[in-house]
Structure formats: structure tokens, C-alpha cells
Amino acid sequence: FSPMRAKTVPRKSSFVAKGIYITGIGAGTKRILRLGSELRKLGGNTIVFDAKDMSGIVFYHSKVSLVKEIGANNRVPIRDLGKMICQLHDMGIHVVARIVLFHDRLLAEKRQDLSVRSRSTGKLWGTKGGVGWVDPSLKEVQRYNLDLARELAASGVDEIQFDYIRFPATGNTDDAMYSFDEAKTTKHKVITGFLKRAY
């Protein structure tokens, strides 16, 4: 068995995306093809699917080493990413992979050295929703997400959509502690620096 290879379909800068979003679990079923067909009938042209959501689950077979280390691939609904992309391309669908970046529960729990810490307790920092944020300034956190993006781009998706490309904005953010000195480096420089690396 050798997986199908898909190729990115270039679009002009004037391309207008009109589409829908589907979860990684939904993308792993035939539902995505039914939705693609209905979408085209209604004049749509784009499907955004979760490649990694804020649970930290990676929904396709990834060879990125940290994925295996933290067990992010233990449930893989998208069995053949290349085949899925090819089928959507055959329908004329623009395929977008969504990666949730710095809100990653699994990475925060399994690699606590990469997590946001509490100034007051020294333990993992969290919101009412629990622990879930990793430190956007850490090169290993950035590299993990860039490795996933690189892998997805090579798989033939047409576009990568970054989400949660920020620091936490809810909860007791004054208690959140990062690996850099906020008096010397502003948060926006961390984010724009990451985007330069991604570009």
C-alpha cells in the first residue's frame, strides 16, 4: 500500500474562497466528500479541516517525532490524507489545513517544560477551561508547529491556516509566566518573529 500523492493547486491572488469548516473527526469520514459535493452545487469552493485542534490531537498520520512522543496520533481519523486531498481537488475544492498553534492541551500536559507557568504557584497556568497553553516564545513549540505545517504543505494541501496564533487573553493573564523577560521583549515581537520563521 502506498498512499496517494496530492499536489497543491496554485490560485491567483484574486481567488475568493467561499467555503466551510469541518473538524478533524468529520474530515476522516465520507461526510467530507458529501459536503464537498453539496458545497460545489451551492457555489462554494473551499473546505477548511482540522489538522490539529486545541485538544492537541493531530488528525492525520504524521511523521513529526514530537507527535509520536506525546501520543498526538493515537486517534487518526484521516487514514489517507493524500487521497482525501486528491478527491477534494477532483471536485474543484480548495483544501485548507487548520493548525491550532499555542493552545495545545496535549502538548501542555505531556511536555510541561513547554507550558505556560503560574507566577504565584510555579505550577502549570490555566484558565477556567483548565491547562492548555504552551509558551509561544519557546523555539521547540514553534518548531513543532512549523514541522506540522511543512509536512502538510508537502502533502498537497493548498493553504495552511494558523489559529490561536497568540498568547492567552482570558483568565488571570497577569499570573501567566513565560520563558522571556516581558520588560525587554514584547509579546507582539514573539508572534511576528514566529510568523517570519513560518513565512
Side-chain angles (χ1 to χ4, degrees), residues 141-158:
V141 170
Q142 293 187 9
R143 186 167 57 248
Y144 176 51
N145 286 290
L146 293 175
D147 285 347
L148 290 171
R150 192 177 294 112
E151 185 174 63
L152 285 160
S155 77
V157 297
D158 304 312

Side-chain angles (χ1 to χ4, degrees), residues 124-190:
L124 298 187
W125 180 89
T127 62
K128 284 183 181 176
V131 171
W133 286 87
V134 288
D135 187 338
S137 68
L138 292 173
K139 289 293 184 261
E140 189 169 357
V141 170
Q142 293 187 9
R143 186 167 57 248
Y144 176 51
N145 286 290
L146 293 175
D147 285 347
L148 290 171
R150 192 177 294 112
E151 185 174 63
L152 285 160
S155 77
V157 297
D158 304 312
E159 191 175 325
I160 308 282
Q161 181 187 91
F162 288 151
D163 205 350
Y164 285 83
I165 181 166
R166 59 177 175 84
F167 286 81
T170 58
N172 184 6
T173 54
D174 289 338
D175 187 47
M177 184 170 60
Y178 305 99
S179 63
F180 64 98
D181 185 347
E182 293 180 63
K184 294 178 181 175
T185 307
T186 57
K187 287 178 180 175
H188 73 83
K189 282 192 175 175
V190 171

Side-chain angles (χ1 to χ4, degrees), residues 93-105:
I93 298 286
H94 183 68
V95 184
V96 182
R98 173 181 179 252
I99 304 174
V100 172
L101 296 175
F102 306 127
H103 194 323
D104 187 323
R105 286 192 204 108

